[in-house]
Amino acid sequence: MKSGSPILQLPVETLDRILEYVPDATILTTRKGRGPTGFVSTWTTSTTDAAMLIPFALVCRRFRDAVFSHSSVWTTLILGGKKTSPKHAARIAARSGNRLLNVVLYLGSAYDSWVHGVDMAMFWPQVADRIRELQIIFEYPPGPGPQATWPLIFETPCPRLESFAMNSNRWRVAFDRPYPLFHLSQTSALVHFCITDAKNLPKCHFSHLTHLAICGFGMREVYSSIVHVLTRTPKLQSLVLSRLDQLVGDLHYNTPLPLPALRRVVLDSLHPPAMLSNFISILPRHPQGYSLQILGITPLAQQNHIHQHLGPPLTQFIQQIETVYIGAGTRKEGTHGAIVDTSSIAGMTASTLVHLGTYLIRNHRHHSIADSLEWMSGILSDHALRLSVHDVWIGSIPASEAFHAFYAPVRDFIAALPALETVTIFVDRSKWPVEEPSVRFLPRADSDGRDTRFRSSASKLKTVRIVHGYDSAAARQKYVDDRAYGKLLVPHAPTRLRLSALLREMETGAFGYLDHLVLRVASFFEIDEGELDRLRTHFSTVRVEHMDTPRAMMFPLPDCAVEPESFPGLAWDGLFH
């Protein structure tokens, strides 16, 4: 770089501030030939990929000095799994000054002989009192090495530890002395706890814990074990229970838990269905509102009448809802990229939200899109849903032929809502880049008698809002995961939003009962004025809004349903698929 370059004239403070935005909050790794094996905590992580700073350090001496002297960007230590040895980590720790540290520890690898050696024994006590966040990942079945490392790690006090996460990657790790660090009350600052695919749960008292995630447990008494943990978390605010299988044991504990601060709950893929029903019964409803997500509903639950298993509390809530969200879609899941079909329905009041969702593997011998459709039709036909709903959001239902079967039950549901005033149709263009605005989900008022239950003359439905947003955060994360950092610097090119499909639908006269159209779009979308003029001949008012605020573009969640501590892509962030 030339010595007279303007960027070299920036003050050191400005350059340091720029560098803080470079490392991304990710610890993804790749096992050669096996795809991504990364793991992050369910809750917000402070870990960053400081390796992204190395290209900056190679630009020139001034950049090199700025990178290596800026202590706040060198606070993540990634140990094991052929990542960083304690000797190299000691240099990073020295660069961090006296700042708190975030440690990611890979165990179980055949290459980790040093992890339980002399270097680690000398290094760990030097950094333990500065650890704020600790994530432990088992990449392979644990051998004697990780077992020997356990006492060193967990018997060394970590008085500033705020966040702990462990993922054994389905190896279901069990230890003779689980979590001695917590038993010794040496983690008084702990507020986030996430454990995945293990066999033990801590039996200590978490006096300050606010966020708890327990995932991937299959054991004899998983229900009672989790209940006992919950009785020792008096300040808990958010709870995620996912992929739990009760093998044997009773489910008779039905006393409401003393969790006065609990506001957000996710119950994902709990089996048998009776365990799901029990958790719904014992978890308290916060008087100022709460968010309850029930995900991973399977054909088994569908065949056994979902309302029976969800219990009276959910039925009572359904009778009060004002806003309904309906969605369906597909996504790839797991290292093998299995296609998963999803369907989703949520009911909301001003302060409370209940969300039900299915994850069905396509072409699985026990799962099909027909199962999801049957479940959705059953929920939509519930008369209690229709009494007070005045706003319906429809989102992320693809236009592909596989999902055409969803259109009819959605239209029938809308047609039977006597108080409905507004329908919002949302499309995330980062997922569906060629989708055009359409009102295909609305009931038709054709003269040939179709949709006979829909009396357009008596309907209060007069407004349709079409939202075409763009999830820039998800797109950015994809660039980072692909290490296509150059694309992060390229602004989004202007894109024409075609209205031809919407015009064809309106020209049929089937939607003449609509008076108002709102087009809410991302700022880079351009709309042809000629097409807008043609639309104005079909509506009393046509309004175009350009908005880029994520909350303004999406389903308006109540405050209690927004989880500020959720890591992107997990739990609440993926609420509406």
Side-chain angles (χ1 to χ4, degrees):
M1 183 177 292
K2 295 182 179 179
S3 58
S5 177
I7 195 171
L8 294 181
Q9 309 305 317
L10 289 174
V12 174
E13 295 79 7
T14 303
L15 189 57
D16 285 349
R17 186 65 175 151
I18 293 172
L19 292 174
E20 292 174 3
Y21 286 94
V22 175
D24 192 72
T26 179
I27 57 170
L28 293 182
T29 181
T30 299
R31 207 183 288 166
K32 187 176 180 181
R34 299 191 183 185
T37 61
F39 164 73
V40 293
S41 170
T42 298
W43 311 118
T44 302
T45 177
S46 299
T47 58
T48 57
D49 185 3
M52 296 169 63
L53 289 164
I54 299 303
F56 283 78
L58 299 177
V59 172
C60 64
R61 178 177 296 178
R62 186 164 188 264
F63 271 38
R64 181 182 185 279
D65 292 342
V67 166
F68 291 129
S69 63
H70 192 22
S71 59
S72 68
V73 298
W74 297 102
T75 55
T76 296
L77 309 180
I78 302 179
L79 302 167
K82 297 202 298 185
K83 300 294 185 298
T84 307
S85 71
K87 290 183 179 179
H88 292 152
R91 299 193 187 106
I92 296 176
R95 290 176 186 151
S96 67
N98 294 320
R99 294 178 180 270
L100 297 181
L101 300 173
N102 311 302
V103 178
V104 182
L105 181 60
Y106 287 84
L107 295 177
S109 170
Y111 301 96
D112 287 348
S113 59
W114 57 265
V115 172
H116 57 94
V118 177
D119 287 346
M120 191 66 173
M122 296 178 60
F123 172 71
W124 193 258
Q126 297 175 5
V127 299
D129 64 343
R130 287 203 286 143
I131 295 178
R132 172 177 54 190
E133 182 175 338
L134 176 60
Q135 299 192 40
I136 299 178
I137 304 160
F138 287 89
E139 289 192 304
Y140 299 89
Q147 291 278 10
T149 309
W150 193 259
L152 170 66
I153 296 172
F154 281 95
E155 293 184 8
T156 305
C158 296
R160 300 184 183 183
L161 186 65
E162 299 175 4
S163 180
F164 171 79
M166 188 180 80
N167 186 333
S168 57
N169 279 334
R170 301 183 185 274
W171 297 120
R172 295 285 170 86
V173 179
F175 294 92
D176 295 333
R177 298 179 58 204
Y179 319 107
L181 187 65
F182 306 122
H183 286 292
L184 298 175
S185 299
Q186 295 173 339
T187 56
S188 58
L190 191 70
V191 292
H192 294 168
F193 188 95
C194 175
I195 184 167
T196 304
D197 292 318
K199 287 185 178 180
N200 305 98
L201 287 174
K203 298 180 180 180
C204 51
H205 188 82
F206 292 104
S207 57
H208 298 285
L209 197 70
T210 59
H211 291 72
L212 173 65
I214 300 175
C215 312
F217 276 69
M219 49 194 290
R220 293 175 58 87
E221 301 284 351
V222 64
Y223 175 73
S224 59
S225 298
I226 291 175
V227 168
H228 290 156
V229 172
L230 293 176
T231 60
R232 299 187 294 272
T233 56
K235 295 185 179 180
L236 195 65
Q237 299 175 11
S238 298
L239 172 67
V240 174
L241 301 178
S242 177
R243 294 187 293 110
L244 304 181
D245 292 288
Q246 173 90 359
L247 303 182
V248 294
D250 66 78
L251 296 167
H252 299 312
Y253 186 96
N254 54 12
T255 303
L257 292 170
L259 300 171
L262 186 64
R263 299 292 298 273
R264 293 166 288 270
V265 176
V266 173
L267 304 176
D268 182 5
S269 304
L270 272 55
H271 303 289
M275 179 165 63
L276 169 62
S277 180
N278 279 24
F279 272 120
I280 293 173
S281 299
I282 67 175
L283 293 173
R285 275 73 178 157
H286 198 284
Q288 297 179 5
Y290 61 92
S291 167
L292 172 63
Q293 296 184 60
I294 304 171
L295 309 179
I297 298 172
T298 65
L300 175 63
Q302 298 162 20
Q303 295 164 5
N304 285 279
H305 307 293
I306 189 170
H307 288 299
Q308 174 185 345
H309 292 295
L310 297 185
L314 188 58
T315 304
Q316 293 171 7
F317 170 79
I318 287 177
Q319 296 175 355
Q320 306 169 13
I321 64 173
E322 302 163 359
T323 303
V324 169
Y325 173 94
I326 303 169
T330 62
R331 69 170 182 238
K332 291 184 178 180
E333 197 166 88
T335 56
H336 300 291
I339 302 297
V340 177
D341 291 318
T342 66
S343 63
S344 176
I345 185 167
M348 187 182 78
T349 68
S351 61
T352 304
L353 178 134
V354 171
H355 168 228
L356 311 176
T358 66
Y359 299 153
L360 303 180
I361 301 175
R362 184 179 293 182
N363 300 324
H364 192 279
R365 61 179 180 174
H366 299 305
H367 297 165
S368 71
I369 193 65
D371 294 318
S372 186
L373 176 60
E374 180 183 353
W375 168 81
M376 179 71 80
S377 298
I379 295 294
L380 294 181
S381 64
D382 191 323
H383 180 70
L385 275 171
R386 305 174 180 175
L387 301 179
S388 57
V389 176
H390 58 74
D391 192 6
V392 170
W393 281 65
I394 303 170
S396 301
I397 301 182
S400 61
E401 185 175 350
F403 286 87
H404 284 181
F406 274 95
Y407 298 174
V410 171
R411 283 195 294 262
D412 290 343
F413 172 66
I414 292 174
L417 296 175
L420 182 62
E421 300 173 356
T422 303
V423 172
T424 300
I425 302 171
F426 173 79
V427 176
D428 182 356
R429 290 292 289 264
S430 68
K431 296 179 180 178
W432 313 106
V434 297
E435 188 80 7
E436 292 187 22
S438 169
V439 291
R440 61 180 178 271
F441 300 107
L442 300 185
R444 303 172 66 91
D446 294 329
S447 58
D448 61 5
R450 284 182 288 179
D451 291 334
T452 54
R453 291 192 304 165
F454 180 67
R455 294 187 302 159
S456 59
S457 59
S459 174
K460 294 182 179 180
L461 176 57
K462 300 299 180 184
T463 302
V464 60
R465 183 190 298 119
I466 299 177
V467 180
H468 273 234
Y470 188 85
D471 191 342
S472 55
R476 178 183 183 277
Q477 186 62 46
K478 186 179 186 303
Y479 293 150
V480 172
D481 293 344
D482 296 341
R483 297 193 177 274
Y485 302 123
K487 293 184 178 180
L488 299 174
L489 305 176
V490 180
H492 205 293
T495 303
R496 180 183 174 186
L497 185 66
R498 300 182 181 275
L499 304 178
S500 53
L502 179 58
L503 281 167
R504 287 195 298 269
E505 292 167 340
M506 297 306 301
E507 287 167 357
T508 65
F511 307 99
Y513 57 87
L514 295 171
D515 290 336
H516 310 289
L517 170 66
V518 179
L519 292 172
R520 180 179 294 176
V521 299
S523 60
F524 59 82
F525 283 121
E526 297 178 343
I527 300 177
D528 182 74
E529 284 296 330
E531 291 184 328
L532 276 179
D533 289 339
R534 290 172 59 191
L535 275 179
R536 292 188 178 101
T537 64
H538 300 286
F539 295 92
S540 299
T541 62
V542 175
R543 187 168 75 250
V544 178
E545 302 173 351
H546 286 90
M547 296 186 180
D548 286 324
T549 305
R551 289 289 299 275
M553 301 295 292
M554 295 183 160
F555 184 56
L557 297 174
D559 291 340
C560 66
V562 178
E563 174 51 73
E565 299 295 333
S566 176
F567 191 82
L570 298 172
W572 281 265
D573 186 69
L575 175 59
F576 298 109
H577 32 257

Coordinates of all heavy atoms in Angstrom, one line a residue, residues 166 168 171-174 179 195-200 215-219:
M166 N -21.9 -27.2 26.1 CA -21.2 -28.5 25.7 C -22.0 -29.2 24.7 O -23.2 -29.4 24.9 CB -20.9 -29.3 27.0 CG -20.0 -30.5 26.7 SD -19.8 -31.6 28.1 CE -21.3 -32.5 28.2
S168 N -21.6 -32.9 22.6 CA -20.8 -34.1 22.4 C -21.1 -34.8 21.0 O -20.7 -35.9 20.8 CB -21.0 -35.1 23.5 OG -22.4 -35.4 23.6
W171 N -22.3 -38.2 20.7 CA -21.5 -39.3 21.3 C -22.1 -39.6 22.7 O -21.7 -40.6 23.3 CB -20.0 -39.0 21.4 CG -19.4 -38.8 20.1 CD1 -18.8 -37.6 19.6 CD2 -19.3 -39.7 19.0 NE1 -18.4 -37.8 18.3 CE2 -18.6 -39.1 17.9 CE3 -19.7 -41.0 18.8 CZ2 -18.4 -39.7 16.7 CZ3 -19.5 -41.6 17.6 CH2 -18.8 -41.0 16.6
R172 N -23.0 -38.8 23.2 CA -23.6 -39.0 24.5 C -22.5 -39.3 25.6 O -22.4 -40.4 26.2 CB -24.6 -40.2 24.4 CG -25.8 -39.9 23.5 CD -26.8 -39.0 24.2 NE -27.8 -38.6 23.2 CZ -28.9 -39.2 23.0 NH1 -29.1 -40.3 23.5 NH2 -29.8 -38.7 22.1
V173 N -21.7 -38.3 25.9 CA -20.6 -38.4 26.8 C -21.2 -38.5 28.2 O -22.1 -37.7 28.6 CB -19.7 -37.2 26.7 CG1 -18.6 -37.3 27.7 CG2 -19.1 -37.1 25.3
A174 N -20.6 -39.4 29.0 CA -21.0 -39.5 30.4 C -19.7 -39.5 31.2 O -18.7 -40.1 30.9 CB -21.7 -40.8 30.7
Y179 N -19.6 -32.1 36.0 CA -19.7 -30.7 36.4 C -19.3 -30.4 37.8 O -20.0 -29.7 38.6 CB -21.2 -30.3 36.2 CG -21.8 -30.9 35.0 CD1 -22.8 -31.9 35.0 CD2 -21.5 -30.4 33.7 CE1 -23.3 -32.4 33.9 CE2 -22.0 -30.9 32.6 CZ -23.0 -31.9 32.7 OH -23.5 -32.5 31.6
I195 N -26.4 -27.5 27.0 CA -25.8 -28.8 26.9 C -26.5 -29.7 25.9 O -27.8 -29.7 25.9 CB -25.8 -29.5 28.3 CG1 -25.0 -30.8 28.3 CG2 -27.2 -29.6 28.9 CD1 -24.7 -31.4 29.6
T196 N -25.8 -30.3 25.0 CA -26.3 -31.1 23.9 C -25.7 -32.5 23.8 O -24.5 -32.6 23.9 CB -26.1 -30.3 22.6 OG1 -26.6 -29.0 22.7 CG2 -26.7 -31.1 21.4
D197 N -26.5 -33.5 23.7 CA -26.1 -34.9 23.5 C -25.1 -35.3 24.6 O -24.0 -35.8 24.3 CB -25.4 -35.0 22.1 CG -26.5 -34.8 21.0 OD1 -27.6 -35.4 21.1 OD2 -26.1 -34.2 20.0
A198 N -25.5 -35.3 25.8 CA -24.8 -35.8 26.9 C -25.7 -36.7 27.7 O -26.9 -36.9 27.4 CB -24.2 -34.7 27.8
K199 N -25.1 -37.3 28.8 CA -25.9 -38.3 29.6 C -26.1 -37.8 31.0 O -26.9 -38.4 31.7 CB -25.2 -39.6 29.6 CG -25.3 -40.4 28.3 CD -24.7 -41.8 28.5 CE -24.8 -42.6 27.2 NZ -24.2 -44.0 27.4
N200 N -25.4 -36.7 31.4 CA -25.5 -36.2 32.7 C -26.1 -34.8 32.8 O -25.9 -34.0 31.9 CB -24.2 -36.2 33.4 CG -23.5 -37.5 33.4 OD1 -22.6 -37.8 32.6 ND2 -23.9 -38.4 34.3
C215 N -30.6 -30.3 25.1 CA -30.9 -30.8 23.8 C -30.3 -32.2 23.6 O -29.2 -32.5 24.1 CB -30.4 -29.9 22.7 SG -30.8 -28.2 22.9
G216 N -31.1 -33.1 23.0 CA -30.5 -34.4 22.6 C -30.3 -35.4 23.7 O -29.3 -36.1 23.7
F217 N -31.2 -35.5 24.6 CA -31.1 -36.5 25.7 C -32.1 -37.6 25.4 O -33.3 -37.4 25.2 CB -31.4 -35.8 27.0 CG -30.2 -35.1 27.6 CD1 -29.7 -34.0 27.0 CD2 -29.6 -35.6 28.7 CE1 -28.7 -33.3 27.6 CE2 -28.5 -35.0 29.3 CZ -28.1 -33.8 28.7
G218 N -31.6 -38.8 25.6 CA -32.5 -40.0 25.6 C -32.0 -40.9 26.7 O -31.0 -41.5 26.7
M219 N -32.8 -40.9 27.8 CA -32.4 -41.6 29.0 C -33.7 -42.1 29.7 O -34.8 -41.8 29.4 CB -31.6 -40.7 29.9 CG -32.2 -39.3 30.1 SD -31.0 -38.2 30.8 CE -30.8 -38.8 32.5

